[in-house]
Amino acid sequence: MAVKDRILVLGPTGAIGRHIVWASLKAGNPTFILVRDTPASVNKPRLVTAANPETREELIQSFQNSGVTLIQVDAFISSLLTSLGSGIRSI
């Protein structure tokens, strides 16, 4: 049996990231999501509700219920990871 790739998805609650997470799970890959630890009081604009009916929290919970591993980081770590992009083999 071939070893499955471990997949880390940055921005898993966005318009594209959510589909990447579900595709990775469907392919049977161990899937990890990196999300920022944002205060609940921050109101972020949402995409069209018809296309994305769940809230960010509901979507993350749904991912976790499906076997996704959550990695939660603060804003500093998030910006640091973004700056390391040149050393990443594939995204």
Side-chain angles (χ1 to χ4, degrees):
M1 183 171 169
V3 175
K4 294 285 188 172
D5 290 328
R6 293 184 301 167
I7 306 298
L8 172 63
V9 181
L10 309 177
T13 60
I16 297 170
R18 67 183 60 221
H19 298 290
I20 294 171
V21 172
W22 293 125
S24 177
L25 285 171
K26 186 175 180 180
N29 294 310
T31 306
F32 302 80
I33 58 173
L34 187 87
V35 295
R36 286 186 302 236
D37 183 17
T38 54
S41 61
V42 174
N43 288 326
K44 293 178 64 178
R46 291 187 58 200
L47 297 173
V48 178
T49 304
N52 304 295
E54 65 276 290
T55 66
R56 176 182 183 269
E57 292 75 22
E58 291 169 338
L59 183 59
I60 291 170
Q61 187 61 53
S62 181
F63 288 154
Q64 289 181 294
N65 292 344
S66 298
V68 170
T69 302
L70 173 69
I71 302 170
Q72 204 163 21
V73 298
D74 64 21
F76 172 75
I77 297 296
S78 179
S79 65
L80 177 64
L81 289 171
T82 302
S83 69
L84 296 176
S86 63
I88 298 174
R89 184 171 48 112
S90 63
I91 297 178

